[in-house]
Amino acid sequence: MINLNRLILERLKRIDTRYLPFADAATPELPLGRLMRLALFQVSVGMATVLLLGTLNRVMIVELGVSASLVAVMVAIPFLAAPFRALVGFRSDTHRSAFGLRRVPYVWTGTLLQFSGLAIMPFAVLLLGTDHNAPAWVGQVAAALAFLLAGTGLHTTQTAGLALATDLAAEDQRPRVVALMYVVFLIGTIVSGYVFSLFLADFSPVRLIQVVQGAAVATFILNVVALWKQEVRRAPPPRTETKPSFREAWALFAANRQARRFLVAVGFGTAGFNMQDIILEPYGAEVLGLSVSATTMLTALLGAGSLLAFALAARWLALGLHPCRLAAIGVLAGLVAFPMVIFAGALQSPILFQAGVCLIGFGAGLFAVSTLMAAMSLETGGLTGLALGAWGAVQASCAGLAIAVGGIVRDSIAMLGKAGSLGAAFTSPSAAYGFVYHIEILLLFSTLVALGPLVRTRFSREERSSTRLRLAEFPS
């Protein structure tokens, strides 16, 4: 048996790294084992995301009977922390630590906030949805605090963690590292969703406490392992050295016209891809008559499309394709995907609908990973965290706003259509959904307009040159 194990290990060592996913992201300075260990913070972020935006929603509405409007408010609370990602990134850029660390203290702070929020969350949710002698506002305040702590920790951990990955990766390896981080995040959400659904199949208050607090402990362990001996200690700067304020650093960053245009494009594109998040499954059920299991598979299709996009993005970016150009390709994929979804309802074609959903995931994946890579080129004076924080703040804020607007618009158009206020064309159940999809198409066209000047570079000249043009060096 021992000899057989040795033989298997020897054969595995002979496998060409070309056939191992993301093996080419590693370098002698950043070996694959260390890189995969660092990526564990994305698993904890994905786990918290599933709890905040998925599992607990269903538990509160179905098992605990909490009103959907109150649940929507609770789910929106983590997005309140999103605009502070730019400040977190800036602070991690300029942090003056006695131990010579910049990023790790912020990832650790985010971990503690995330742990605290998840630790009290099951009790807060139970207070919100069960009968007790305390006033109703106690459960509401407790749940709001739990969601805010977990959401703030999530955003802090991810912003500082991605900045740390940027610091550790060589410039030519960053596309692969970014794609790897996104793949790990996606795998973390998929696996966490399956595990949570498995353990909560026989729901009880005790089981809810066990699952959510188990996730809190797992978050703590994963992030400790991820951070262990990752950041190089540097001598702290002298106290006499002047440090720019956040306002000064942001003014310098925002003075770049290309940076402003890029953030506008991120906002439009993120809203365009995410507005359909809460209406896609109801569309499949109400318009196409799909079963619960069939609509549940839509998440897997979105994930499959995103995984393919991440793999291709890592390769294309490594070959020198500009991130903004790749983001535009993702937008074009979305402009094909949403008409497919719309026509699927008119043709009653589930296959066309599923293909469109998969293409939405592909386009959204390309757009997300390429804009993150472009954000790494937006740094000003070494403030990588500020650029990544700005990207994360715009993306998370616009995603949350778009999801809320998508649900409101769908319900409003459906109500007006049933009342006959919009004419006979809007009496069909698909009309309200189609209205939202057309808004998303308009947003994606606006994204292309915003990306246009960023993509219109002298690309052929760039190919002949050994240097790569940074976003800040684009012609105005």
Side-chain angles (χ1 to χ4, degrees):
M1 181 62 68
I2 295 176
N3 292 333
L4 179 60
N5 290 337
R6 289 177 179 174
L7 179 61
I8 293 174
L9 288 174
E10 289 297 326
R11 292 293 177 89
L12 288 175
K13 290 179 181 178
R14 296 176 185 174
I15 298 177
D16 197 318
T17 56
R18 291 176 298 175
Y19 306 110
L20 297 176
F22 296 104
D24 54 354
T27 61
E29 296 78 17
L30 186 62
L32 188 60
R34 182 182 176 189
L35 185 59
M36 292 301 298
R37 184 164 58 84
L38 175 62
L40 290 178
F41 80 88
Q42 286 284 62
V43 176
S44 71
V45 170
M47 186 166 52
T49 301
V50 170
L51 278 175
L52 296 179
L53 302 181
T55 304
L56 290 175
N57 293 358
R58 196 257 188 194
V59 168
M60 285 190 287
I61 293 175
V62 178
E63 275 77 14
L64 299 179
V66 180
S67 66
S69 58
L70 183 57
V71 172
V73 171
M74 294 300 166
V75 171
I77 287 176
F79 290 106
L80 295 177
F84 295 100
R85 290 181 67 144
L87 178 61
V88 170
F90 169 74
R91 294 297 185 189
S92 72
D93 286 329
T94 59
H95 183 61
R96 195 192 305 268
S97 170
F99 297 100
L101 302 173
R102 293 188 304 164
R103 314 294 186 186
V104 168
Y106 282 88
V107 181
W108 181 241
T109 300
T111 300
L112 293 179
L113 290 171
Q114 202 170 321
F115 174 84
S116 302
L118 293 178
I120 67 174
M121 189 169 291
F123 303 104
V125 169
L126 290 174
L127 278 175
L128 191 66
T130 57
D131 296 329
H132 50 79
N133 295 326
W137 62 266
V138 174
Q140 296 170 2
V141 171
L145 178 62
F147 274 82
L148 182 60
L149 284 173
T152 304
L154 183 156
H155 291 300
T156 303
T157 299
Q158 191 172 51
T159 299
L162 289 174
L164 176 59
T166 303
D167 294 341
L168 295 178
E171 185 174 356
D172 58 341
Q173 296 298 112
R174 286 179 183 175
R176 299 179 178 87
V177 172
V178 170
L180 173 62
M181 292 293 166
Y182 254 92
V183 168
V184 172
F185 170 76
L186 189 61
I187 292 174
T189 59
I190 294 172
V191 174
S192 299
Y194 176 77
V195 172
F196 292 151
S197 63
L198 184 65
F199 280 107
L200 290 173
D202 296 325
F203 177 81
S204 68
V206 174
R207 181 59 61 87
L208 178 65
I209 294 171
Q210 291 172 339
V211 169
V212 180
Q213 291 198 328
V217 175
T219 294
F220 186 88
I221 295 173
L222 285 171
N223 287 359
V224 168
V225 174
L227 294 179
W228 187 256
K229 293 185 178 181
Q230 290 287 7
E231 187 174 13
V232 178
R233 294 179 59 183
R234 300 176 178 87
R239 290 287 177 182
T240 56
E241 181 180 316
T242 59
K243 185 172 65 172
S245 66
F246 175 71
R247 180 178 297 180
E248 294 170 343
W250 180 258
L252 179 63
F253 177 79
N256 187 338
R257 279 175 33 185
Q258 276 69 34
R260 296 197 304 270
R261 179 177 285 272
F262 170 74
L263 293 179
V264 169
V266 170
F268 279 138
T270 301
F273 278 114
N274 286 274
M275 190 174 287
Q276 48 75 34
D277 271 2
I278 63 171
I279 66 171
L280 201 62
E281 291 189 20
Y283 177 80
E286 188 175 356
V287 177
L288 293 171
L290 298 180
S291 64
V292 175
S293 60
T295 56
T296 303
M297 283 299 296
L298 296 179
T299 303
L301 290 174
L302 285 170
S306 296
L307 280 174
L308 177 60
F310 296 155
L312 293 177
R315 180 174 182 82
W316 291 340
L317 289 170
L319 292 176
L321 183 63
H322 196 277
C324 289
R325 193 177 295 273
L326 187 58
I329 294 174
V331 173
L332 291 174
L335 289 173
V336 175
F338 284 109
M340 291 172 65
V341 171
I342 294 171
F343 282 114
L347 300 174
Q348 289 295 297
S349 173
I351 294 178
L352 183 61
F353 175 60
Q354 292 165 351
V357 169
C358 188
L359 193 56
I360 289 174
F362 178 79
L366 275 186
F367 183 80
V369 73
S370 57
T371 52
L372 176 57
M373 187 60 205
M376 292 180 176
S377 301
L378 288 174
E379 59 174 300
T380 303
L383 301 179
T384 310
L386 176 62
L388 290 173
W391 170 84
V394 171
Q395 188 193 49
S397 301
C398 290
L401 182 62
I403 291 171
V405 170
I408 293 171
V409 169
R410 184 265 168 201
D411 290 345
S412 301
I413 296 299
M415 182 178 63
L416 292 173
K418 288 180 180 179
S421 304
L422 301 177
F426 284 88
T427 58
S428 170
S430 63
Y433 295 101
F435 194 89
V436 177
Y437 295 144
H438 280 87
I439 293 177
E440 293 185 279
I441 292 173
L442 179 61
L443 286 170
L444 292 181
F445 271 117
S446 301
T447 306
L448 284 181
V449 172
L451 284 173
L454 303 179
V455 177
R456 288 201 303 267
T457 62
R458 290 171 290 182
F459 193 68
S460 59
R461 184 175 175 180
E462 177 184 323
E463 285 179 328
R464 293 193 298 268
S465 174
S466 60
T467 60
R468 293 183 180 178
L469 194 64
R470 290 179 177 269
L471 188 61
E473 299 166 350
F474 283 3
S476 301

